Amino acid sequence: MVNYIIVTGGVISGLGKGITTASIGKILQLHGYNVTAIKIDPYMNFDAGTLRPTEHGEVWVTEDGGEIDQDLGHYERFLDINIPKSHNITTGQVYSAVIEKERKGKYLGKTVQPIPHVTDEIKERIRLPASQHNWDFILVEIGGTVGDYENVLFLEAVRQMKHEGDKVVFVHVTYVPMLDALGEAKTKPTQHSVKQLREIGIMPDFIITRSEKTLDNVRREKIAMFCNVSQDDVISNEDVDNIYAVSLLFEKQDLCRKILKKLNLRKDKDNLKEWENFIKKINRLQNTVKIGIVGKYFDIGASQLSDSYISVIEAVKHAAWNNNLKPDIKWIDSKVFEIEPTKVKTLDKLDGIIVPGGFGLSGIDGKIATIRYCREKNIPYLGLCLGMQLAVVEYARNACGMADAHSTEVDKKTPYPVIDFIPEQVKILQDSRYGATMRLGAYPAVLKKGTIIYSLYKETNVSERHRHRYEVNPQFVEKLESCGIVFSGRSPDGILMEFMELPNHPYFVGTQAHPEFKSRPLRPAPLFDGLIQAAKKRK
Ligand code: GLN
């Protein structure tokens, strides 16, 4: 029978509940269990596709074309599995399903109510993966913080699951702040958030405390006493240098055995060696590689947020570690180069540059200036989706004599629309159907032998995940190729240009896809690996 681990959050958002959930999954997996995870996002959006990246971070794309909150990315990376879009549940999906059923008369004349109809719909979705596959564990992370209006029905649904006999372990993740002025860690916010959870009818089995330093015994005792758990079940999750090491922090506190004991299960296997060695190796690395990410989704008010590019960052890390280097990532807001064009010279200090995916008009000229500089000064460059489109634009303008060439996303009247709609997008955009209508998910491509990209993938048939509406305009392919661009990979029908590169450059590579979504700690994405290899040489 499947076991559920329900992870809730308290005190503040942004605690790293996703990493905590993924790390619990990891230790269970390393002890021989079959694990998957579900993310519940209590917002009204149907999915994360129409959300700006500075709202909740990057939009993660699944193999089957889901546009999901970034936490699913953590689960995939930690557990090294592909997770389908059905493992993301939002209020928007739940309510629209309930309303659709009501319109079809499926409730047989009953008054349709939050309890039981909405909670039944939620439970059905949480239980779905267990009906499709033989999972030992399904981790369910409930987004938001206990006490939020919007997650009440989800909490009620998981309470009912335990009541109905599902095997459930509740893990509550809270924040224990350390106030400098007092010099003391405070447990009161944790006590209050557990109190709220208990009012809903959920008694946590474990409390995981996020804090700067290891939770001391005095606070542990206090939390245990006020929150009605045993001291052993208060787990410290203090800051560590590396997110992949959190699982080992849990292992040190014997969390896996403690979880299994509550379910009358035992540790099956002990496969920790490879993971431990990996963490040891990355902690020991000395030499750094400096990679610049030139983007635009960095600012929220006065603070800067790197979450918008989280998968790109993780992919850089995986590739750097694979090449025995410590990644040193620099955020560069492309708009800086628009205000002060001479500042592009600062890129000289970097070993490699990435222009990641993006939408809309702002920061585009700064990105094009970046790309030109990398091309002319032989700085290793990787363009991801928009980063490839703009590389084509830059090359068309400055190396193919097509002045003012552009993408029609940015300039509808350009004389040389080298990047244009994918044909089926025309009608979609006319009708303003923005949700889930891009070219989404995994698509195959065929690589050309003898190219740099082929040498990295080492095979001709590859597949990567996509999320875009625009593409290289087929009408310009011949001209661009005659000027020197090599389209090293195309869609199997030969129509879409999926990969490009420039020969006679240490590494100038672009892809219409997002290979960052398939990068894993122990299996870096080939194009990121190529970037780091070239960056290492430049050093
Ligand atoms: N805005 C571009 C498009 O829709 C690029 C998208 C992306 O970078 N993911 O094609």
Side-chain angles (χ1 to χ4, degrees):
M1 186 178 173
V2 66
N3 302 282
Y4 294 95
I5 300 204
I6 313 280
V7 182
T8 54
V11 186
I12 54 168
S13 63
L15 274 175
K17 241 184 327 161
I19 306 277
T20 302
T21 306
S23 302
I24 298 172
K26 188 74 203 171
I27 49 170
L28 288 163
Q29 192 186 53
L30 292 174
H31 285 295
Y33 288 94
N34 225 328
V35 179
T36 192
I38 291 177
K39 174 71 197 289
I40 291 178
D41 285 307
Y43 44 63
M44 286 297 298
N45 302 58
F46 196 87
D47 60 27
T50 55
L51 283 166
R52 175 188 319 127
T54 46
E55 286 284 310
H56 295 279
E58 159 197 277
V59 177
W60 172 260
V61 180
T62 59
E63 282 287 294
D64 61 352
E67 298 172 284
I68 320 273
D69 181 277
Q70 52 164 331
D71 283 320
L72 230 63
H74 292 312
Y75 309 158
E76 285 207 18
R77 281 187 285 268
F78 277 67
L79 302 173
D80 199 357
I81 54 172
N82 289 336
I83 298 184
K85 61 182 169 193
S86 57
H87 289 214
N88 180 235
I89 306 172
T90 69
T91 297
Q93 290 168 22
V94 171
Y95 273 83
S96 63
V98 169
I99 290 168
E100 196 183 317
K101 285 183 187 164
E102 184 274 331
R103 291 291 81 185
K104 287 186 176 156
K106 295 261 164 77
Y107 295 113
L108 307 174
K110 286 234 164 65
T111 309
V112 180
Q113 295 180 299
I115 303 171
H117 301 103
V118 171
T119 45
D120 280 353
E121 183 68 36
I122 294 169
K123 286 182 290 181
E124 198 178 298
R125 283 160 188 260
I126 294 176
R127 287 170 178 147
L128 179 73
S131 68
Q132 296 167 329
H133 187 87
N134 207 0
W135 299 110
D136 299 318
F137 279 91
I138 298 179
L139 290 112
V140 183
E141 179 190 345
I142 302 186
T145 307
V146 172
D148 295 348
Y149 281 116
E150 58 181 16
N151 63 20
V152 168
L153 285 174
F154 292 101
L155 294 170
E156 169 59 18
V158 293
R159 182 198 68 76
Q160 290 174 16
M161 283 177 68
K162 177 142 192 185
H163 176 72
E164 288 166 9
D166 288 279
K167 290 171 78 179
V168 178
V169 167
F170 289 107
V171 175
H172 189 56
V173 185
T174 74
Y175 179 54
V176 177
M178 171 70 139
L179 297 184
D180 279 345
L182 292 175
E184 192 191 349
K186 303 303 283 179
T187 63
K188 189 76 78 190
T190 298
Q191 296 172 33
H192 281 284
S193 98
V194 172
K195 190 169 162 239
Q196 275 183 307
L197 199 59
R198 286 161 65 188
E199 277 167 13
I200 297 165
I202 293 176
M203 188 70 81
D205 295 290
F206 293 94
I207 294 177
I208 298 189
T209 56
R210 283 284 300 116
S211 56
E212 253 170 76
K213 304 212 175 77
T214 312
L215 192 76
D216 61 16
N217 281 339
V218 180
R219 292 345 107 165
R220 198 182 286 266
E221 277 168 31
K222 224 172 175 177
I223 291 174
M225 177 9 216
F226 280 98
C227 301
N228 202 29
V229 295
S230 96
Q231 276 183 46
D232 259 2
D233 296 340
V234 181
I235 306 289
S236 173
N237 182 4
E238 66 263 23
D239 290 352
V240 286
D241 292 339
N242 187 316
I243 53 170
Y244 299 105
V246 173
S247 45
L248 298 183
L249 192 68
F250 291 166
E251 180 63 16
K252 232 170 55 196
Q253 297 171 74
D254 216 8
L255 178 59
C256 183
R257 191 192 49 82
K258 292 174 187 171
I259 291 175
L260 294 173
K261 198 169 158 225
K262 291 204 194 278
L263 296 160
N264 295 322
L265 296 168
R266 269 184 297 128
K267 279 189 188 173
D268 219 25
K269 291 194 191 91
D270 211 327
N271 296 333
L272 266 84
K273 262 276 126 350
E274 189 188 21
W275 193 251
E276 282 170 348
N277 287 342
F278 160 68
I279 305 289
K280 258 190 227 149
K281 168 187 148 169
I282 58 184
N283 285 341
R284 257 193 251 120
L285 295 173
Q286 296 289 335
N287 295 332
T288 55
V289 62
K290 277 201 195 94
I291 301 295
I293 299 181
V294 182
K296 69 166 182 175
Y297 302 117
F298 291 124
D299 320 321
I300 298 190
S303 48
Q304 283 216 317
L305 195 83
S306 53
D307 265 14
S308 319
Y309 300 109
I310 187 87
S311 294
V312 178
I313 294 164
E314 292 307 310
V316 169
K317 290 188 195 168
H318 304 159
W321 294 331
N322 191 46
N323 288 280
N324 296 315
L325 292 168
K326 220 159 77 176
D328 178 6
I329 298 170
K330 305 279 179 217
W331 316 116
I332 302 159
D333 187 334
S334 64
K335 283 168 274 186
V336 169
F337 303 141
E338 296 172 2
I339 300 159
E340 256 184 272
T342 53
K343 275 213 167 152
V344 280
K345 289 205 182 74
T346 56
L347 297 175
D348 279 332
K349 287 187 281 196
L350 300 168
D351 305 316
I353 304 283
I354 295 174
V355 171
F359 295 83
L361 313 185
S362 85
I364 293 285
D365 291 337
K367 289 179 186 172
I368 295 176
T370 301
I371 294 166
R372 179 172 196 172
Y373 199 77
C374 290
R375 182 173 62 81
E376 292 180 346
K377 303 288 176 187
N378 285 330
I379 303 174
Y381 173 76
L382 174 60
L384 304 169
C385 201
L386 180 69
M388 159 164 158
Q389 296 172 354
L390 295 180
V392 170
V393 167
E394 189 281 319
Y395 200 80
R397 288 180 182 181
N398 303 319
C400 287
M402 297 187 233
D404 298 323
H406 222 320
S407 160
T408 53
E409 181 180 10
V410 187
D411 178 4
K412 303 244 172 323
K413 298 203 187 87
T414 168
Y416 302 103
V418 287
I419 305 293
D420 200 6
F421 282 133
I422 298 168
E424 67 260 24
Q425 290 290 329
V426 180
K427 185 85 179 76
I428 288 173
L429 290 186
Q430 272 166 5
D431 300 346
S432 291
R433 284 186 285 123
Y434 285 104
T437 55
M438 282 188 243
R439 181 167 178 247
L440 289 169
Y443 282 93
V446 182
L447 299 184
K448 199 172 185 172
K449 289 205 169 130
T451 58
I452 298 172
I453 294 180
Y454 173 79
S455 76
L456 290 166
Y457 278 93
K458 300 184 178 70
E459 54 193 343
T460 39
N461 294 312
V462 300
S463 164
E464 294 288 3
R465 299 184 194 172
H466 291 247
R467 182 172 187 253
H468 61 117
R469 294 190 201 279
Y470 294 81
E471 57 152 332
V472 177
N473 187 340
Q475 287 171 12
F476 289 90
V477 167
E478 220 181 287
K479 171 89 167 110
L480 290 164
E481 280 188 321
S482 72
C483 297
I485 289 190
V486 172
F487 288 109
S488 20
R490 302 178 184 218
S491 56
D493 60 10
I495 293 172
L496 304 178
M497 302 300 117
E498 304 282 39
F499 294 90
M500 65 152 286
E501 62 190 61
L502 293 181
N504 311 322
H505 188 287
Y507 192 79
F508 192 99
V509 161
T511 171
Q512 194 52 83
H514 289 280
E516 64 270 26
F517 292 135
K518 283 174 70 175
S519 176
R520 303 286 183 259
L522 300 168
R523 271 186 309 117
L527 297 191
F528 284 80
D529 207 46
L531 176 74
I532 300 290
Q533 286 170 29
K536 195 172 179 176
K537 278 195 201 127
R538 176 177 159 86
K539 266 169 76 76

